[in-house]
Amino acid sequence: MNKRCYYEVLGCGKSASIEELKGAYRKLAKEFHPDRNPGDHSCEHRFKEINEAYDVLKDSQKRAAYDRFGHAAFENGGGGRSNGFGFDFGTSFTDVFDDLFGEIMGGRRGRRQNRGGDVRYDMEITLEEAYAGKNAEIRVTSAVACETCSGNGAEPGSKPETCTTCSGAGKVRAQQGFFTIERTCPGCHGRGKVVRHPCKTCRGSGHVQKERTLAVAIPAGVEEGTRIRLSGEGQAGLNGGPAGDLYIFISIAPHPIFQRDGYNLHCRAPVSFVTAAMGGAIEIPTCDGGRAKVNIPEGTQGGAQIRLRGKGMPVLRGGGMKGDLYVEIAVETPVRLSRKQKELLRAFDEEAGSGTHPESEGFFAKVKEFWNRAEEA
Ligand SMILES: [Zn+2]
Ligand SMILES: [Zn+2]
């Protein structure tokens, strides 16, 4: 189905201000509201369209995404680029509606209980910690229920009183044309209660900022960008609503030896040309703090990769499964040679016969052919 442009739906230009959009939305939503047009399916469709358009355009982030990517910004997660903007029409519809009109026909919900906000905490760990997992303690400051008043905002000895404007309902109703409009009570901001003697500790808000220490178990195998959620450890809710969540965003410090690629680790190990030629063994560190012996086969060339199975990173919640460690061999050319060493190498060179340097021999054979052909032409 071809979707109409959201701006077109609201009859506004692309540069319309939020006030213009809101005005257009109000007008159209009233006109096409199903209660005013019972049984008219085209009106119902328009009404949904209007709500969807306004829901996107009223939100500056969603609007920016829509301006850039069009409707594609909101299709099933939007193919990566619009992550975070995807939304569910079914629920946002109600939210939009509550925003502007309050709850039509009343009584679907009780007093507003607001969930507290989510909190982000950034944590940098070392690669070794990501390898082994870690029990960390973090200190976070967030809103918690005030102890002095147990979160109700009233000075001890007094109690919040029932709001006289709304008789405790948290909402007031008014007749407006065809609608019975309910809106949040202005006397108590939807709480249904009014605090006459505000608690001195929290100034009547019912919560205070508090630093807390939380224990966090970082599982083995976490990666850059892994998020760990501590449910209910975010900001305290309002009016007894649930607290938000705390999200720990993991980042991993660069390591002096290892580079990580998913479950696998890479490192570079220099080897003398003598060891590379004659074979031998070297020892390299592993991420668990131990050592691993790497056998260098005779005649190893620079750039060769040697794989150590199971010496990579653990797979997150992978039941002990681990990736591999790739060791890239760097053959080192010796420098600052003594006279004796030079003599020995000269002697070695004179001794080196055909077949000692197959790559060079192959290469120079091709070069010779090339020059021959160039001369013939
Ligand atoms: Zn208090
Ligand atoms: Zn009230």
Side-chain angles (χ1 to χ4, degrees), residues 251-296:
S251 65
I252 296 171
H255 195 274
I257 295 170
F258 299 114
Q259 288 85 49
R260 182 179 190 174
D261 175 21
Y263 316 135
N264 295 328
L265 289 173
H266 293 261
C267 78
R268 227 171 102 91
V271 161
S272 77
F273 81 100
V274 178
T275 305
M278 305 197 352
I282 58 168
E283 252 189 356
I284 58 152
T286 50
C287 212
D288 58 4
R291 299 151 183 262
K293 195 174 139 189
V294 182
N295 285 315
I296 312 289

Short mmCIF file of all heavy atoms in Angstrom, two decimals, residues 251-296:
data_model
loop_
_atom_site.label_atom_id
_atom_site.label_comp_id
_atom_site.label_asym_id
_atom_site.label_seq_id
_atom_site.Cartn_x
_atom_site.Cartn_y
_atom_site.Cartn_z
N SER A 251 32.60 -0.57 27.07
CA SER A 251 33.59 -0.35 26.02
C SER A 251 34.88 -1.01 26.49
O SER A 251 35.08 -1.23 27.69
CB SER A 251 33.80 1.14 25.75
OG SER A 251 34.35 1.76 26.88
N ILE A 252 35.71 -1.40 25.53
CA ILE A 252 36.90 -2.17 25.87
C ILE A 252 38.15 -1.40 25.46
O ILE A 252 38.27 -0.95 24.33
CB ILE A 252 36.84 -3.57 25.22
CG1 ILE A 252 35.64 -4.30 25.84
CG2 ILE A 252 38.12 -4.35 25.42
CD1 ILE A 252 35.26 -5.59 25.20
N ALA A 253 39.04 -1.24 26.43
CA ALA A 253 40.26 -0.46 26.19
C ALA A 253 41.15 -1.19 25.18
O ALA A 253 41.18 -2.43 25.16
CB ALA A 253 41.01 -0.28 27.52
N PRO A 254 41.88 -0.43 24.36
CA PRO A 254 42.81 -1.08 23.41
C PRO A 254 43.85 -1.88 24.19
O PRO A 254 44.24 -1.50 25.30
CB PRO A 254 43.47 0.09 22.70
CG PRO A 254 42.66 1.30 23.01
CD PRO A 254 41.91 1.03 24.28
N HIS A 255 44.28 -2.99 23.59
CA HIS A 255 45.24 -3.87 24.27
C HIS A 255 46.60 -3.75 23.59
O HIS A 255 46.66 -3.63 22.36
CB HIS A 255 44.73 -5.31 24.18
CG HIS A 255 45.43 -6.23 25.13
ND1 HIS A 255 46.62 -6.85 24.80
CD2 HIS A 255 45.15 -6.61 26.39
CE1 HIS A 255 47.01 -7.59 25.83
NE2 HIS A 255 46.14 -7.46 26.81
N PRO A 256 47.69 -3.77 24.36
CA PRO A 256 49.01 -3.59 23.73
C PRO A 256 49.43 -4.77 22.84
O PRO A 256 50.28 -4.60 21.96
CB PRO A 256 49.97 -3.44 24.92
CG PRO A 256 49.23 -4.02 26.09
CD PRO A 256 47.77 -3.80 25.82
N ILE A 257 48.88 -5.94 23.06
CA ILE A 257 49.32 -7.12 22.29
C ILE A 257 48.24 -7.67 21.37
O ILE A 257 48.50 -8.00 20.22
CB ILE A 257 49.81 -8.24 23.25
CG1 ILE A 257 51.06 -7.76 24.01
CG2 ILE A 257 50.11 -9.53 22.49
CD1 ILE A 257 51.47 -8.66 25.13
N PHE A 258 47.02 -7.75 21.88
CA PHE A 258 45.97 -8.43 21.12
C PHE A 258 45.02 -7.47 20.44
O PHE A 258 44.65 -6.43 21.01
CB PHE A 258 45.15 -9.33 22.05
CG PHE A 258 45.96 -10.40 22.71
CD1 PHE A 258 46.14 -10.39 24.08
CD2 PHE A 258 46.56 -11.41 21.95
CE1 PHE A 258 46.90 -11.38 24.70
CE2 PHE A 258 47.31 -12.39 22.57
CZ PHE A 258 47.49 -12.38 23.94
N GLN A 259 44.61 -7.84 19.23
CA GLN A 259 43.48 -7.17 18.58
C GLN A 259 42.35 -8.18 18.53
O GLN A 259 42.58 -9.36 18.28
CB GLN A 259 43.84 -6.73 17.15
CG GLN A 259 44.79 -5.55 17.08
CD GLN A 259 46.23 -6.01 17.19
OE1 GLN A 259 46.64 -6.92 16.49
NE2 GLN A 259 46.99 -5.39 18.10
N ARG A 260 41.15 -7.68 18.76
CA ARG A 260 40.02 -8.58 18.81
C ARG A 260 39.21 -8.49 17.52
O ARG A 260 39.02 -7.42 16.97
CB ARG A 260 39.13 -8.18 19.99
CG ARG A 260 37.94 -9.07 20.17
CD ARG A 260 37.16 -8.57 21.36
NE ARG A 260 36.12 -9.52 21.72
CZ ARG A 260 35.38 -9.39 22.80
NH1 ARG A 260 35.58 -8.37 23.61
NH2 ARG A 260 34.44 -10.28 23.08
N ASP A 261 38.75 -9.64 17.09
CA ASP A 261 37.86 -9.67 15.94
C ASP A 261 36.76 -10.68 16.28
O ASP A 261 36.90 -11.87 16.02
CB ASP A 261 38.65 -10.07 14.68
CG ASP A 261 37.74 -10.24 13.47
OD1 ASP A 261 36.63 -9.68 13.50
OD2 ASP A 261 38.14 -10.94 12.53
N GLY A 262 35.71 -10.21 16.90
CA GLY A 262 34.64 -11.10 17.35
C GLY A 262 35.17 -12.03 18.43
O GLY A 262 35.67 -11.58 19.45
N TYR A 263 35.10 -13.35 18.18
CA TYR A 263 35.59 -14.30 19.18
C TYR A 263 37.08 -14.53 19.03
O TYR A 263 37.71 -15.12 19.89
CB TYR A 263 34.92 -15.68 19.02
CG TYR A 263 33.44 -15.63 18.82
CD1 TYR A 263 32.82 -16.40 17.85
CD2 TYR A 263 32.64 -14.81 19.62
CE1 TYR A 263 31.45 -16.37 17.66
CE2 TYR A 263 31.28 -14.76 19.43
CZ TYR A 263 30.69 -15.54 18.45
OH TYR A 263 29.35 -15.51 18.28
N ASN A 264 37.64 -14.12 17.89
CA ASN A 264 39.04 -14.42 17.64
C ASN A 264 39.95 -13.28 18.08
O ASN A 264 39.53 -12.13 18.13
CB ASN A 264 39.26 -14.70 16.15
CG ASN A 264 38.52 -15.95 15.70
OD1 ASN A 264 38.35 -16.89 16.49
ND2 ASN A 264 38.07 -15.96 14.46
N LEU A 265 41.17 -13.66 18.39
CA LEU A 265 42.18 -12.67 18.74
C LEU A 265 43.31 -12.76 17.72
O LEU A 265 43.55 -13.82 17.15
CB LEU A 265 42.74 -12.94 20.14
CG LEU A 265 41.80 -12.66 21.31
CD1 LEU A 265 42.45 -13.13 22.61
CD2 LEU A 265 41.48 -11.18 21.40
N HIS A 266 43.97 -11.64 17.50
CA HIS A 266 45.11 -11.61 16.60
C HIS A 266 46.29 -10.99 17.33
O HIS A 266 46.10 -10.05 18.11
CB HIS A 266 44.80 -10.77 15.36
CG HIS A 266 43.75 -11.40 14.49
ND1 HIS A 266 44.05 -12.13 13.37
CD2 HIS A 266 42.40 -11.42 14.60
CE1 HIS A 266 42.94 -12.58 12.82
NE2 HIS A 266 41.92 -12.15 13.54
N CYS A 267 47.46 -11.50 17.06
CA CYS A 267 48.66 -10.81 17.54
C CYS A 267 49.79 -11.06 16.57
O CYS A 267 49.72 -11.95 15.72
CB CYS A 267 49.02 -11.23 18.97
SG CYS A 267 49.84 -12.81 19.09
N ARG A 268 50.82 -10.25 16.65
CA ARG A 268 51.97 -10.34 15.76
C ARG A 268 53.16 -10.74 16.61
O ARG A 268 53.39 -10.15 17.66
CB ARG A 268 52.22 -8.95 15.19
CG ARG A 268 52.44 -8.88 13.70
CD ARG A 268 52.44 -7.41 13.32
NE ARG A 268 53.82 -6.96 13.12
CZ ARG A 268 54.43 -6.99 11.94
NH1 ARG A 268 53.79 -7.43 10.87
NH2 ARG A 268 55.67 -6.57 11.82
N ALA A 269 53.89 -11.74 16.14
CA ALA A 269 55.07 -12.16 16.90
C ALA A 269 56.30 -12.10 16.02
O ALA A 269 56.35 -12.75 14.97
CB ALA A 269 54.86 -13.58 17.42
N PRO A 270 57.30 -11.30 16.40
CA PRO A 270 58.53 -11.25 15.62
C PRO A 270 59.37 -12.50 15.87
O PRO A 270 59.42 -13.00 16.98
CB PRO A 270 59.23 -9.99 16.14
CG PRO A 270 58.65 -9.75 17.50
CD PRO A 270 57.33 -10.42 17.57
N VAL A 271 59.99 -12.99 14.79
CA VAL A 271 60.81 -14.19 14.89
C VAL A 271 62.11 -13.89 14.14
O VAL A 271 62.08 -13.23 13.10
CB VAL A 271 60.03 -15.37 14.24
CG1 VAL A 271 60.96 -16.51 13.87
CG2 VAL A 271 58.91 -15.84 15.14
N SER A 272 63.23 -14.34 14.66
CA SER A 272 64.50 -14.08 13.96
C SER A 272 64.53 -14.88 12.67
O SER A 272 63.87 -15.91 12.56
CB SER A 272 65.68 -14.47 14.86
OG SER A 272 65.83 -15.88 14.84
N PHE A 273 65.32 -14.42 11.69
CA PHE A 273 65.31 -15.14 10.42
C PHE A 273 65.94 -16.52 10.58
O PHE A 273 65.66 -17.44 9.84
CB PHE A 273 65.96 -14.31 9.29
CG PHE A 273 67.45 -14.33 9.26
CD1 PHE A 273 68.13 -15.16 8.37
CD2 PHE A 273 68.18 -13.52 10.12
CE1 PHE A 273 69.51 -15.18 8.34
CE2 PHE A 273 69.57 -13.53 10.09
CZ PHE A 273 70.25 -14.36 9.20
N VAL A 274 66.78 -16.65 11.61
CA VAL A 274 67.38 -17.97 11.88
C VAL A 274 66.31 -18.95 12.34
O VAL A 274 66.20 -20.07 11.82
CB VAL A 274 68.51 -17.84 12.94
CG1 VAL A 274 69.10 -19.21 13.24
CG2 VAL A 274 69.57 -16.86 12.46
N THR A 275 65.47 -18.51 13.31
CA THR A 275 64.38 -19.37 13.78
C THR A 275 63.41 -19.68 12.65
O THR A 275 62.95 -20.82 12.50
CB THR A 275 63.62 -18.68 14.94
OG1 THR A 275 64.55 -18.33 15.94
CG2 THR A 275 62.55 -19.58 15.52
N ALA A 276 63.10 -18.62 11.85
CA ALA A 276 62.17 -18.82 10.74
C ALA A 276 62.72 -19.86 9.76
O ALA A 276 61.99 -20.70 9.25
CB ALA A 276 61.88 -17.50 10.03
N ALA A 277 64.05 -19.81 9.53
CA ALA A 277 64.66 -20.72 8.55
C ALA A 277 64.79 -22.13 9.11
O ALA A 277 64.49 -23.11 8.42
CB ALA A 277 66.02 -20.17 8.13
N MET A 278 65.23 -22.23 10.37
CA MET A 278 65.56 -23.54 10.91
C MET A 278 64.43 -24.16 11.72
O MET A 278 64.49 -25.34 12.07
CB MET A 278 66.82 -23.44 11.77
CG MET A 278 67.94 -22.82 10.95
SD MET A 278 69.63 -22.99 11.52
CE MET A 278 69.62 -23.69 13.09
N GLY A 279 63.39 -23.35 12.00
CA GLY A 279 62.30 -23.85 12.84
C GLY A 279 62.65 -23.69 14.30
O GLY A 279 63.81 -23.47 14.66
N GLY A 280 61.65 -23.72 15.15
CA GLY A 280 61.90 -23.56 16.57
C GLY A 280 60.58 -23.33 17.27
O GLY A 280 59.51 -23.62 16.71
N ALA A 281 60.64 -22.79 18.46
CA ALA A 281 59.41 -22.52 19.20
C ALA A 281 59.53 -21.17 19.89
O ALA A 281 60.63 -20.79 20.31
CB ALA A 281 59.16 -23.61 20.23
N ILE A 282 58.46 -20.46 19.96
CA ILE A 282 58.45 -19.23 20.76
C ILE A 282 57.30 -19.31 21.76
O ILE A 282 56.40 -20.14 21.61
CB ILE A 282 58.28 -17.96 19.87
CG1 ILE A 282 56.98 -18.06 19.06
CG2 ILE A 282 59.48 -17.76 18.96
CD1 ILE A 282 56.61 -16.75 18.40
N GLU A 283 57.36 -18.45 22.74
CA GLU A 283 56.29 -18.41 23.73
C GLU A 283 55.56 -17.09 23.59
O GLU A 283 56.19 -16.04 23.50
CB GLU A 283 56.88 -18.51 25.14
CG GLU A 283 56.61 -19.84 25.77
CD GLU A 283 57.00 -19.88 27.24
OE1 GLU A 283 57.55 -18.88 27.75
OE2 GLU A 283 56.74 -20.90 27.88
N ILE A 284 54.26 -17.15 23.57
CA ILE A 284 53.51 -15.89 23.55
C ILE A 284 52.51 -15.89 24.71
O ILE A 284 52.12 -16.94 25.21
CB ILE A 284 52.78 -15.68 22.21
CG1 ILE A 284 51.81 -16.84 21.96
CG2 ILE A 284 53.72 -15.54 21.05
CD1 ILE A 284 50.66 -16.41 21.13
N PRO A 285 52.11 -14.69 25.15
CA PRO A 285 51.14 -14.62 26.25
C PRO A 285 49.74 -14.96 25.73
O PRO A 285 49.48 -14.83 24.53
CB PRO A 285 51.21 -13.16 26.69
CG PRO A 285 51.65 -12.42 25.48
CD PRO A 285 52.52 -13.36 24.69
N THR A 286 48.88 -15.38 26.62
CA THR A 286 47.47 -15.60 26.26
C THR A 286 46.61 -14.69 27.14
O THR A 286 47.08 -14.18 28.16
CB THR A 286 47.06 -17.07 26.46
OG1 THR A 286 47.46 -17.48 27.76
CG2 THR A 286 47.71 -17.95 25.42
N CYS A 287 45.38 -14.50 26.70
CA CYS A 287 44.52 -13.51 27.35
C CYS A 287 44.15 -13.88 28.79
O CYS A 287 43.75 -13.03 29.57
CB CYS A 287 43.26 -13.30 26.50
SG CYS A 287 42.64 -11.64 26.60
N ASP A 288 44.30 -15.15 29.13
CA ASP A 288 43.98 -15.56 30.51
C ASP A 288 45.17 -15.34 31.43
O ASP A 288 45.15 -15.74 32.58
CB ASP A 288 43.53 -17.03 30.54
CG ASP A 288 44.60 -17.96 29.96
OD1 ASP A 288 45.71 -17.48 29.62
OD2 ASP A 288 44.32 -19.17 29.86
N GLY A 289 46.24 -14.70 30.91
CA GLY A 289 47.40 -14.42 31.74
C GLY A 289 48.46 -15.52 31.64
O GLY A 289 49.53 -15.41 32.24
N GLY A 290 48.18 -16.58 30.91
CA GLY A 290 49.13 -17.69 30.79
C GLY A 290 50.04 -17.53 29.58
O GLY A 290 50.19 -16.44 29.04
N ARG A 291 50.71 -18.62 29.20
CA ARG A 291 51.61 -18.63 28.05
C ARG A 291 51.19 -19.74 27.11
O ARG A 291 50.63 -20.73 27.53
CB ARG A 291 53.04 -18.97 28.50
CG ARG A 291 53.64 -18.02 29.45
CD ARG A 291 54.65 -18.75 30.35
NE ARG A 291 55.18 -17.82 31.34
CZ ARG A 291 56.35 -17.19 31.22
NH1 ARG A 291 57.12 -17.42 30.18
NH2 ARG A 291 56.74 -16.35 32.14
N ALA A 292 51.52 -19.54 25.86
CA ALA A 292 51.27 -20.61 24.89
C ALA A 292 52.52 -20.77 24.05
O ALA A 292 53.17 -19.79 23.70
CB ALA A 292 50.08 -20.26 24.00
N LYS A 293 52.87 -22.04 23.78
CA LYS A 293 54.02 -22.33 22.96
C LYS A 293 53.58 -22.37 21.51
O LYS A 293 52.56 -22.98 21.18
CB LYS A 293 54.60 -23.69 23.37
CG LYS A 293 55.99 -23.93 22.86
CD LYS A 293 56.51 -25.25 23.44
CE LYS A 293 57.25 -25.98 22.35
NZ LYS A 293 57.62 -27.34 22.71
N VAL A 294 54.31 -21.64 20.68
CA VAL A 294 53.98 -21.65 19.25
C VAL A 294 55.13 -22.30 18.51
O VAL A 294 56.27 -21.85 18.60
CB VAL A 294 53.79 -20.21 18.71
CG1 VAL A 294 53.39 -20.23 17.24
CG2 VAL A 294 52.76 -19.46 19.54
N ASN A 295 54.85 -23.40 17.82
CA ASN A 295 55.88 -24.08 17.03
C ASN A 295 56.03 -23.40 15.68
O ASN A 295 55.06 -23.20 14.98
CB ASN A 295 55.50 -25.55 16.82
CG ASN A 295 55.73 -26.34 18.11
OD1 ASN A 295 56.76 -26.20 18.77
ND2 ASN A 295 54.73 -27.11 18.48
N ILE A 296 57.28 -23.00 15.41
CA ILE A 296 57.56 -22.36 14.13
C ILE A 296 58.16 -23.43 13.23
O ILE A 296 59.28 -23.89 13.48
CB ILE A 296 58.58 -21.20 14.29
CG1 ILE A 296 58.21 -20.27 15.45
CG2 ILE A 296 58.76 -20.43 12.98
CD1 ILE A 296 57.00 -19.42 15.22
#
